[in-house]
Structures are given as structure tokens and as C-alpha cells.
């Protein structure tokens, strides 16, 4: 008999996730504000090695040689496409460091929470989105004023700006949901590799909408290298031994509850 259990996320886990996610959002925006675009792109590329490290240490994942090489090829291709001028300062480096680690931890935690508590992507988003929105709504205006010395409530809002804010929020919901679905189905590393396809699509769409400015031979070569790396990664990671866990995973919360219920039923039968 299958027992349907309601989704549940402990408050401590929710608080930890919100902390990682909020630091990720603020860190990425501040990193772009304080660093050059080139160093910002390098920081984004470094999320793949950090995500690999987290999976190797926390989940005991082992990557095959082909999987590692394919990830390296993706990094090289995207780096050729996007990294141009590189300049860094101390506060910009600190912002990038916080952004990289908090984003990697947040994405790892998406997969961890779905696996441990048997949560679907919609369940997890339903648990985390309201709390995350509430905390950012309270803290955001103060951070914005501290960083820019401009108050959010003093902005000259009009119909166009409100429409674009609404559109941005709607797209963000879809982005978060697709992130949760992808990471829940695969892993944070696979999501990072797939996410760099977005960078390639942005460059291609820029070519169609804004002309050939910014699209030269080395960008095209980088795009080709990155796409080949993504194809190689998909093939290498899906093979036996491409990505494998070296230890048995812990039972999920629901499995533990079902097991406890089954044991109690057996004891009653014996009695």
C-alpha cells in the first residue's frame, strides 16, 4: 500500500537555502558592478570546478577522464567567446568569491533537498520562493541604498518601467523553475554546463538583432568549441562510469517514514 505524504521542508534547511540563494543574487550583481565584464565571466566559469568539487566532497561523485576533459573544453570555448578585458580589484574579487561559492552551494542544495526530502521542483519552489522574496523585499532596499546611494522609492516609476519589472519577475519565475527541474533531474554540474548554452544563444541572438558588431572569428571559434564540449559532456557523463557515486546514498526522509510505518505494522501483526 502506497502512503501519500505531504511535502515538508524543515525550517533550518529552508533558512540555509535562503541564505545561499540571497548571497548568490546579491553577490552576482555586485560582482558585475565592481568588476570588469571579463573578470565577471571568469568568475562565472569557475562555478563549474567549484560545483564539481562540492559533488566530489559531499556526494562522493567520481568523474571519468572524458567527463573532466569535456568540462574543460566547455570552459575553454565559453572563455574564448566571452572573456575580453580583465581587470580586478580587492572588493571586486571578494564579491566574485562570495558569488561563486554561494551560487554553487545554492545549486548543489537544490539537488540535495529534492533528493533527501523527495520534493518535486514545484514543491521546492513553493517552499523557498515566498520566504526568499520576503527577505529580499526587506533587505534589498537597504543594500541598494548602501551600494548606490539611491533610494528605491525615489525612482520615477511609470507604466513602461512597471511593465518591464513585471515581465522580469515573470521570466525569473520560469528561470527558477527550469533551474529546479534541471538540477533535480540531473546535477548542479550538468546545469552549469547546460547553462553556458545560454551564453552561446545570447551571442547568436545579438548577431541577429544588433548586427555583426561583437561577433568575430575568435568568438565563432569559441562558440563551436563550447558546443562540441557540451555534446562531449552529454555523451561522456551518460556512459557507465562517466559520473558515479562511490557510496550508497542515505535514505530519504519519506523512505524513513515509510520504513517506520512498515515496521510498526509488522509489530502489530506479530502481536
Amino acid at each position: 500500500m502506497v502512503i501519500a505524504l505531504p511535502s515538508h521542508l524543515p525550517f533550518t534547511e529552508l533558512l540555509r537555502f535562503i541564505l545561499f540563494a540571497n548571497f548568490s543574487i546579491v553577490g552576482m550583481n555586485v560582482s558585475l558592478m565592481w568588476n570588469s565584464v571579463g573578470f565577471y565571466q571568469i568568475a562565472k566559469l569557475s562555478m563549474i570546478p567549484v560545483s564539481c568539487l562540492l559533488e566530489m566532497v559531499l556526494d562522493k561523485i567520481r568523474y571519468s577522464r572524458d567527463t573532466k576533459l569535456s568540462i574543460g573544453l566547455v570552459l575553454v570555448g565559453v572563455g574564448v567567446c566571452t572573456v575580453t578585458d580583465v581587470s580586478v580589484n580587492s572588493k571586486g574579487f571578494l564579491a566574485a568569491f562570495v558569488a561563486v561559492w554561494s551560487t554553487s552551494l545554492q545549486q548543489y542544495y537544490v539537488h540535495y533537498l529534492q533528493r533527501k526530502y523527495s520534493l518535486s521542483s514545484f514543491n521546492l519552489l513553493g517552499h523557498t520562493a515566498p520566504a526568499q522574496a520576503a527577505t529580499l523585499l526587506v533587505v534589498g532596499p537597504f543594500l541598494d541604498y548602501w551600494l548606490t546611494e539611491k533610494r528605491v522609492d525615489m525612482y520615477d516609476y511609470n507604466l513602461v518601467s512597471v511593465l518591464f519589472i513585471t515581465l522580469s519577475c515573470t521570466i525569473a519565475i520560469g528561470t527558477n523553475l527550469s533551474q529546479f527541474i534541471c538540477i533535480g533531474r540531473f546535477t548542479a554540474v550538468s546545469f552549469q554546463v547546460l547553462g553556458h548554452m545560454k551564453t552561446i544563444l545570447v551571442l547568436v541572438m545579438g548577431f541577429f538583432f544588433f548586427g555583426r558588431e561583437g561577433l568575430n572569428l575568435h568568438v565563432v571559434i569559441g562558440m563551436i568549441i563550447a558546443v562540441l564540449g557540451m555534446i562531449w559532456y552529454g555523451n561522456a557523463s551518460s556512459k557507465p562510469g562517466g559520473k558515479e557515486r562511490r557510496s550508497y546514498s542515505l535514505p530519504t526522509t519519506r523512505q524513513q517514514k515509510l520504513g517506520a510505518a512498515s515496521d510498526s505494522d509488522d509489530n502489530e501483526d506479530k502481536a
Side-chain angles (χ1 to χ4, degrees):
M1 179 180 179
V2 178
I3 302 175
L5 296 173
S7 65
H8 171 68
L9 184 63
F11 179 74
T12 54
E13 301 278 31
L14 176 63
L15 194 62
R16 194 176 294 120
F17 179 88
I18 291 174
L19 185 67
F20 293 150
N22 288 356
F23 267 102
S24 171
I25 294 172
V26 175
M28 292 301 295
N29 283 282
V30 174
S31 176
L32 183 59
M33 182 189 302
W34 287 348
N35 292 312
S36 65
V37 176
F39 187 77
Y40 172 78
Q41 290 294 343
I42 290 177
K44 286 183 65 177
L45 291 175
S46 67
M47 290 179 191
I48 291 184
V50 172
S51 296
C52 288
L53 178 63
L54 289 174
E55 289 188 356
M56 291 170 64
V57 173
L58 300 177
D59 283 347
K60 303 296 187 291
I61 296 291
R62 183 174 59 190
Y63 295 91
S64 68
R65 181 178 61 86
D66 283 355
T67 303
K68 294 176 183 176
L69 290 175
S70 64
I71 291 174
L73 192 63
V74 172
L75 295 176
V76 170
V78 178
V80 171
C81 290
T82 58
V83 177
T84 52
D85 60 312
V86 178
S87 60
V88 63
N89 52 71
S90 56
K91 65 178 184 179
F93 178 83
L94 179 61
F97 181 84
V98 171
V100 168
W101 278 94
S102 58
T103 302
S104 300
L105 283 167
Q106 183 259 342
Q107 292 178 357
Y108 168 82
Y109 223 55
V110 168
H111 184 73
Y112 169 81
L113 292 176
Q114 290 191 53
R115 187 179 75 245
K116 182 175 181 180
Y117 296 102
S118 300
L119 297 172
S120 68
S121 304
F122 288 96
N123 289 145
L124 184 58
L125 189 63
H127 283 295
T128 58
Q132 188 179 352
T135 53
L136 287 175
L137 190 63
V138 173
V139 178
F142 296 100
L143 278 176
D144 201 50
Y145 181 75
W146 176 59
L147 293 170
T148 65
E149 296 184 354
K150 295 179 181 179
R151 290 172 51 181
V152 176
D153 60 316
M154 297 300 293
Y155 181 77
D156 184 21
Y157 292 95
N158 53 46
L159 180 61
V160 176
S161 63
V162 172
L163 285 176
F164 273 102
I165 291 173
T166 305
L167 178 63
S168 177
C169 293
T170 304
I171 294 174
I173 294 173
T175 302
N176 287 337
L177 182 59
S178 65
Q179 180 195 59
F180 284 22
I181 292 173
C182 183
I183 295 177
R185 175 64 179 82
F186 303 104
T187 62
V189 174
S190 297
F191 174 76
Q192 282 288 340
V193 173
L194 182 63
H196 284 301
M197 191 63 196
K198 177 189 68 177
T199 305
I200 307 299
L201 292 176
V202 168
L203 293 172
V204 173
M205 291 176 66
F207 168 75
F208 285 110
F209 286 102
F210 304 108
R212 297 187 178 183
E213 184 178 356
L215 191 68
N216 48 43
L217 181 60
H218 86 273
V219 172
V220 174
I221 293 175
M223 290 166 58
I224 294 173
I225 293 173
V227 172
L228 290 176
M230 293 173 194
I231 296 172
W232 188 11
Y233 173 82
N235 183 51
S237 62
S238 62
K239 288 182 177 179
K243 286 179 65 176
E244 59 183 10
R245 196 180 304 272
R246 286 178 290 181
S247 62
Y248 293 104
S249 59
L250 294 174
T252 64
T253 301
R254 292 190 179 186
Q255 289 173 337
Q256 292 172 350
K257 290 181 178 179
L258 289 173
S262 177
D263 291 341
S264 63
D265 290 343
D266 291 341
N267 291 333
E268 289 177 0
D269 292 340
K270 291 178 180 179

